[in-house]
């Protein structure tokens, strides 16, 4: 999973400093079924945020990535399974491609 994200990270920009996330640090936070929350830390400004990742069963090499635009320090509580389920519901309602999710 993290290997797949690593390959895709270069396509994304840090929302804080605008640099490529190609060199970012990736850390698995929660993994439940095909849904995961991954902590991404920008190598340039050290800005840390969570992204939700869903591996599509029909295309396991092309995960659907949703950025939860929420700096780590503003998180009130540890991530729970309920949070992961919320992400699952949000992704289920998404009608668009990966680029649309990241806007
Ligand atoms: Zn940054």
């Amino acid at each position: 999973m993290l290997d797949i994200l690593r390959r895709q990270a270069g396509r994304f920009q840090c929302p804080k400093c605008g640099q490529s996330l190609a060199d970012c640090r990736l850390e698995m936070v929660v993994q439940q079924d095909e849904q995961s929350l991954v902590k991404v830390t920008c190598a340039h400004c050290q800005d840390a945020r969570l992204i939700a990742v869903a591996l599509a069963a029909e295309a396991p090499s092309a995960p659907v990535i949703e950025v939860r635009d929420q700096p780590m320090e503003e998180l009130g509580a540890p991530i729970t399974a309920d949070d992961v389920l919320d992400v699952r519901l949000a992704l289920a309602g998404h009608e668009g491609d990966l680029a649309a999710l990241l806007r």
Side-chain angles (χ1 to χ4, degrees):
M1 165 67 94
L2 289 182
D3 288 345
I4 297 169
L5 277 178
R6 169 65 61 196
R7 284 201 296 273
Q8 299 210 352
R11 292 162 48 194
F12 304 121
Q13 288 184 332
C14 171
K16 192 165 186 179
C17 70
Q19 295 290 319
S20 166
L21 286 174
D23 298 324
C24 66
R25 195 164 74 236
L26 297 171
E27 188 179 329
M28 183 67 69
V29 179
V30 177
Q31 187 160 26
Q32 178 176 326
D33 300 333
E34 72 276 21
Q35 307 274 335
S36 300
L37 288 177
V38 179
K39 179 183 171 186
V40 179
T41 306
C42 175
H44 299 276
C45 67
Q46 306 304 314
D47 183 50
R49 60 191 61 243
L50 291 176
I51 61 170
V53 181
L55 277 185
E58 63 272 22
S61 62
V64 176
I65 298 174
E66 179 193 20
V67 174
R68 298 183 112 191
D69 193 12
Q70 185 176 37
M72 291 294 289
E73 57 268 22
E74 291 179 13
L75 289 176
I79 298 159
T80 66
D82 280 348
D83 293 325
V84 178
L85 288 174
D86 285 346
V87 171
R88 179 197 297 260
L89 289 174
L91 288 173
H94 178 70
E95 298 179 356
D97 60 9
L98 180 62
L101 269 177
L102 294 173
R103 264 200 297 276

